[in-house]
Amino acid sequence: MALTREEREQFLAEPHVAALAVDAGAGRAPLTVPIWYQYEPGGDVWIMTGQDSRKNLLIGAAGRFSLMVDRLEPTIRYVSVEGPVLDTTPATIERLREISARYLPADKVEGYVDFAWKNHGEQVVVRMRPERWVSSDLGSV
């Protein structure tokens, strides 16, 4: 059964690891990779990635991407969202801290942020406006 707008937005707002997919060009399947993301109901989605990463270059060329999140318990549920890129801006340590705090235990955030800021190279924040949604809750199987 499809989720209501409120249900799908709330589910996407939970800290799932998303599968990001983006067109990889002629003769290639879409690039699909796991990624952390940030989203608040009614807003835009943003991700952080390497400025020179294949993912960022493909997103720039395609001008859009999709994210899919799912779970198995207490029911099988998924939400997929796709839309256009609104902007790409240099990452800040504050954005890195925000997204890290979404996924890591509180006592691990600062250590991770310090390591990532020093070792992951130039990062960018890519914002996407959710335009098309596909969602379902298959209930308890």
Side-chain angles (χ1 to χ4, degrees), residues 80-101:
S80 177
V81 61
E82 66 119 331
V85 171
L86 298 175
D87 57 47
T88 300
T89 58
T92 64
I93 198 164
E94 292 79 16
R95 285 288 194 173
L96 177 58
R97 188 173 288 112
E98 177 183 346
I99 204 160
S100 299

Side-chain angles (χ1 to χ4, degrees), residues 20-31:
L20 178 145
V22 62
D23 183 7
R28 299 287 305 261
L31 173 70

Side-chain angles (χ1 to χ4, degrees), residues 19-63:
L20 178 145
V22 62
D23 183 7
R28 299 287 305 261
L31 173 70
T32 306
V33 293
I35 195 162
W36 291 353
Y37 69 95
Q38 180 63 288
Y39 174 75
E40 293 182 15
D44 299 322
V45 173
W46 65 265
I47 62 164
M48 185 178 293
T49 190
Q51 178 177 328
D52 298 324
S53 69
R54 181 168 181 242
K55 173 180 8 168
N56 187 47
L57 297 174
L58 290 172
I59 289 170

